[in-house]
Amino acid sequence: AQRVTQPEKLLSVFKGAPVELKCNYSYSGSPELFWYVQYSRQRLQLLLRHISRESIKGFTADLNKGETSFHLKKPFAQEEDSAMYYCALAEGGNAGNMLTFGGGTRLMVKP
Amino acid sequence: NAGVMQNPRHLVRRRGQEARLRCSPMKGHSHVYWYRQLPEEGLKFMVYLQKENIIDESGMPKERFSAEFPKEGPSILRIQQVVRGDSAAYFCASSINGGMLAFFGQGTRLTVV
């Protein structure tokens, strides 16, 4: 069975510092990985997906199949990045509809 | 398009009562997914429905939980005889079809007292 692990429940950094939110997964097939973000009092929304290989709001994430990781990175954190971040996995080709989520990491960016 | 709408946003039920959670998908979306988030945990998949059909219910508890998505009207997640352990946030997502990305609602927070 697939599993997604986010080892840090809380990550606190100062504005302008680099950020890395860790995500590791276990899945025997070819997974599709996502990062979702939930800002305070807002709905869960897709931040990025690995197949797009794009940068959203300065965030990037690279799928490392060797290490089974999909860490989310941003070189310079902003206060508005403070939110809950969830890493999620879907079976390849399923386009992310029956997702397996990690437990989430709360990012706090201090001024 | 108002997005995926869930109501109520907050629901309080006494033990043994029934809880009915509603999800109106985005316009044009015929696929609905329900997830549950227990305190301090990530979202867990419960059930996937297409209009009038249950496609996958592998994440649904075997007893007391049921879901439907009728031809007309919202999808309903129904929990009978609620217990304290059912207290959680329940999220609904919808998509145009099974191969497209789903959009999430704001969730219903169920508290069982």
Side-chain angles (χ1 to χ4, degrees):
Chain A
Q2 54 260 42
R3 185 183 177 94
V4 177
T5 303
Q6 293 178 249
E8 301 142 328
K9 284 192 179 294
L10 173 65
L11 183 62
S12 182
V13 301
F14 284 102
K15 177 183 172 180
V19 170
E20 182 178 53
L21 289 85
K22 291 185 168 49
C23 172
N24 289 90
Y25 67 90
S26 62
Y27 180 62
S28 56
S30 192
E32 190 165 351
L33 275 298
F34 305 82
W35 277 98
Y36 280 82
V37 60
Q38 188 173 29
Y39 300 103
S40 180
R41 296 192 180 86
Q42 294 187 27
R43 64 189 68 203
L44 199 64
Q45 54 187 287
L46 179 67
L47 182 61
L48 53 79
R49 56 195 297 194
H50 88 269
I51 63 170
S52 301
R53 301 187 67 81
E54 57 193 345
S55 173
I56 304 293
K57 300 184 179 182
F59 285 97
T60 59
D62 290 315
L63 179 61
N64 186 324
K65 290 188 177 180
E67 295 182 358
T68 59
S69 68
F70 188 56
H71 303 326
L72 184 68
K73 300 178 184 178
K74 185 169 182 176
F76 308 104
Q78 303 299 314
E79 289 182 68
E80 55 265 30
D81 296 328
S82 296
M84 279 295 295
Y85 290 81
Y86 294 96
C87 182
L89 175 153
E91 298 177 22
N94 200 22
N97 290 337
M98 290 190 292
L99 295 161
T100 299
F101 283 86
T105 298
R106 180 171 297 282
L107 175 64
M108 290 180 56
V109 182
K110 297 176 285 189
Chain B
N1 198 333
V4 179
M5 301 301 293
Q6 289 187 249
N7 67 82
R9 291 290 309 280
H10 301 275
L11 181 62
V12 180
R13 283 287 177 266
R14 294 185 185 281
R15 280 179 293 173
Q17 290 184 318
E18 178 180 285
R20 292 171 72 88
L21 288 66
R22 286 176 290 277
C23 170
S24 296
M26 287 179 70
K27 188 176 180 181
H29 288 195
S30 59
H31 296 244
V32 164
Y33 313 82
W34 285 93
Y35 290 82
R36 176 167 67 172
Q37 184 178 30
L38 294 169
E40 306 298 319
E41 295 186 18
L43 284 76
K44 296 225 174 1
F45 168 77
M46 298 181 75
V47 62
Y48 164 30
L49 309 104
Q50 194 181 352
K51 282 286 187 180
E52 300 184 272
N53 292 305
I54 295 175
I55 307 299
D56 187 315
E57 56 181 349
S58 57
M60 285 278 270
K62 294 288 185 286
E63 296 177 348
R64 302 186 297 108
F65 285 71
S66 62
E68 62 177 11
F69 187 18
K71 189 176 180 182
E72 302 291 338
S75 175
I76 305 287
L77 180 68
R78 183 178 175 214
I79 312 171
Q80 295 178 290
Q81 300 174 316
V82 296
V83 300
R84 288 243 170 94
D86 297 332
S87 296
Y90 292 83
F91 290 92
C92 167
S94 74
S95 66
I96 293 174
N97 60 47
M100 298 297 290
L101 280 173
F103 293 85
F104 281 83
Q106 289 188 288
T108 293
R109 188 163 297 280
L110 171 66
T111 302
V112 180
V113 297

